[in-house]
Amino acid sequence: MLASTLNNIWQQVATGIFDPLLTVIVFLLMLSLLVFVHELGHLWVGLRMGIKVEEFGIGFPPRALVLFERNGIKYTLNWLPLGGFVRFAGMDGEKDAVYGAGSLAAAPPWRKIPVMLAGPLMNFVLAVIIFTVLFATVGVPTPTGRMLISNVFPNTPAAAAGFQAGDELVRLDNQPVTDENIVREVAQRRKGTAIEAVVVRNGVEVTLIVTPGAWMAPDGREFSAGFGFSYGAQTVNQPINPIAAIGTGFMHSVELTGRMIMMLADLPAAIAGLFSSTPPPAGEPLGPVGIARATGEVIRQPDGFISFWSLTAVLSLNLFILNLLPIPALDGSHILFALIEWVRGKKLPPEKEALVHAFGFMALMGLMALLTVNDVINAVQGTPIFGR
């Protein structure tokens, strides 16, 4: 009941604000939450590890104002609303090129590693909390065994056959459609041949005749065999009690994390796909513009409020995984260097470690720029983020 009421209020707000403005506002709020929780983890564990903190900042400098000061820590609001940071105190005024402050750099590995782990782990905890609240109030999404068609692209076999968005795909070529692989398999096997498709539309079964074949997406990409609609597993929400929702939320987060880790193997091909006219099987990675567009798409859905929080949880899990990868400039690389220091029994030369992180940061910025350009091209071409 509460979730339904909030969703109705959300829709009234969404229809009353200029779409691009609403998208930007909601995206920045979501990003601020994800970063705030992440940096809060670093802050909390850093203090527990006895590492002095000078500043906890929301956003990136330049500083707008000091919100308040407590126990020697300045809590600040900064002008660039794209992140946040924890500034650990220096030792004798010395600043560290890697961590930004001497006390964390000088800390032994057994203190440093928990501090670096805390940020990503807080993103995982946030996802569990979000899923738990959603499951307790809305229910657990349970597959019905049917595919739901979300979009039908123009000038495609599906459009010619009369498919409509919202159709429930029941059978293709006399074969029950219980998962996404069946749709792809039938399209390949029966390419160029007219087949029967049974859909449920407004509670009534409708039989259509469709000929799978080549089609072109709105962004100009060509597919050799298919129907020309986007689809996904249809689900219904099954009620669950709040106590059980905690375990279900945790297990759902673990399951999604496992899937995301498995998909890391496809990341190089996905990045390479940015330079190819053939879309990679796993889809394209998104930059900030793409994530903002994804936010705009979900908040305009009928269940926009719920979809927004689901997307926030998924992105939080993405941050959890990404920050644990041993990529220079991310938490994972700091953890790796701390482990090396622990094994060697002495610190690596700070200037060499700083150089590695600097090159890693430049590489990340280059990739971010590439993804942003691709996001902008997709936006101009009108390519949807979901249901490509």
Side-chain angles (χ1 to χ4, degrees), residues 29-108:
L29 288 174
M30 177 177 66
L31 183 62
S32 297
L33 173 64
L34 295 176
V35 174
F36 176 80
V37 167
H38 181 96
E39 296 300 331
L40 192 62
H42 288 315
L43 172 68
W44 189 79
V45 176
L47 293 175
R48 294 301 177 275
M49 289 288 106
I51 299 174
K52 184 173 173 55
V53 177
E54 287 184 343
E55 181 179 356
F56 179 75
I58 300 174
F60 285 126
R63 181 185 296 174
L65 57 93
V66 177
L67 298 174
F68 60 92
E69 185 171 348
R70 183 178 179 184
N71 297 329
I73 304 173
K74 292 180 180 178
Y75 294 84
T76 64
L77 185 64
N78 298 270
W79 283 112
L80 300 179
L82 298 175
F85 63 93
V86 177
R87 190 187 307 281
F88 293 96
M91 296 178 63
D92 301 323
E94 175 187 324
K95 292 294 181 182
D96 185 272
V98 177
Y99 298 94
S103 63
L104 181 59

Side-chain angles (χ1 to χ4, degrees), residues 9-352:
I9 295 173
W10 178 278
Q11 289 300 311
Q12 292 175 16
V13 172
T15 56
I17 300 179
F18 185 48
D19 267 357
L21 176 60
L22 177 64
T23 296
V24 170
I25 293 173
V26 173
F27 170 67
L28 291 178
L29 288 174
M30 177 177 66
L31 183 62
S32 297
L33 173 64
L34 295 176
V35 174
F36 176 80
V37 167
H38 181 96
E39 296 300 331
L40 192 62
H42 288 315
L43 172 68
W44 189 79
V45 176
L47 293 175
R48 294 301 177 275
M49 289 288 106
I51 299 174
K52 184 173 173 55
V53 177
E54 287 184 343
E55 181 179 356
F56 179 75
I58 300 174
F60 285 126
R63 181 185 296 174
L65 57 93
V66 177
L67 298 174
F68 60 92
E69 185 171 348
R70 183 178 179 184
N71 297 329
I73 304 173
K74 292 180 180 178
Y75 294 84
T76 64
L77 185 64
N78 298 270
W79 283 112
L80 300 179
L82 298 175
F85 63 93
V86 177
R87 190 187 307 281
F88 293 96
M91 296 178 63
D92 301 323
E94 175 187 324
K95 292 294 181 182
D96 185 272
V98 177
Y99 298 94
S103 63
L104 181 59
W110 67 270
R111 290 181 183 270
K112 192 183 304 180
I113 291 173
V115 176
M116 306 314 297
L117 277 172
L121 286 176
M122 282 295 287
N123 283 122
F124 181 84
V125 171
L126 175 63
V128 173
I129 292 172
I130 291 174
F131 283 130
T132 296
V133 173
L134 289 178
F135 293 162
T137 56
V138 180
V140 179
T142 306
T144 64
R146 293 178 177 177
M147 294 295 111
L148 183 66
I149 297 174
S150 56
N151 194 15
V152 179
F153 299 107
N155 304 314
T156 62
F163 283 91
Q164 296 180 12
D167 284 349
E168 300 172 24
L169 187 57
V170 179
R171 289 191 301 277
L172 271 177
D173 196 29
N174 294 319
Q175 183 175 353
V177 180
T178 55
D179 63 60
E180 299 178 1
N181 293 326
I182 292 175
V183 178
R184 289 190 285 267
E185 187 273 329
V186 171
Q188 293 286 346
R189 178 169 50 84
R190 302 289 281 170
K191 179 182 177 181
T193 304
I195 61 174
E196 274 193 1
V198 178
V199 301
V200 173
R201 182 180 300 164
N202 299 323
V204 179
E205 281 198 358
V206 178
T207 301
L208 305 171
I209 304 298
V210 61
T211 303
W215 64 282
M216 182 180 293
D219 61 358
R221 291 183 297 177
E222 297 181 356
F223 298 82
S224 61
F227 297 96
F229 51 60
S230 58
Y231 58 95
Q234 184 189 42
T235 61
V236 295
N237 292 325
Q238 296 289 346
I240 187 173
N241 70 70
I243 302 300
I246 298 173
T248 305
F250 175 79
M251 292 307 301
H252 186 64
S253 299
V254 171
E255 180 185 351
L256 284 179
T257 300
R259 291 183 193 173
M260 292 175 188
I261 292 174
M262 295 296 293
M263 289 175 65
L264 287 175
D266 297 320
L267 186 59
I271 294 175
L274 299 177
F275 303 95
S276 171
S277 59
T278 303
E284 293 178 347
L286 299 177
V289 175
I291 296 174
R293 290 186 61 222
T295 304
E297 288 187 21
V298 300
I299 64 177
R300 286 191 293 269
Q301 293 178 2
D303 59 345
F305 182 79
I306 297 167
S307 298
F308 164 76
W309 284 109
S310 295
L311 177 63
T312 302
V314 170
L315 291 177
S316 196
L317 290 176
N318 269 277
L319 285 179
F320 164 66
I321 296 170
L322 179 64
N323 276 283
L324 287 179
L325 296 178
I327 299 174
L330 298 181
D331 292 328
S333 66
H334 291 298
I335 294 171
L336 178 61
F337 277 109
L339 288 172
I340 293 173
E341 176 187 339
W342 206 340
V343 172
R344 293 176 76 240
K346 61 179 180 179
K347 288 179 62 65
L348 293 170
E351 63 278 4
K352 291 184 178 180

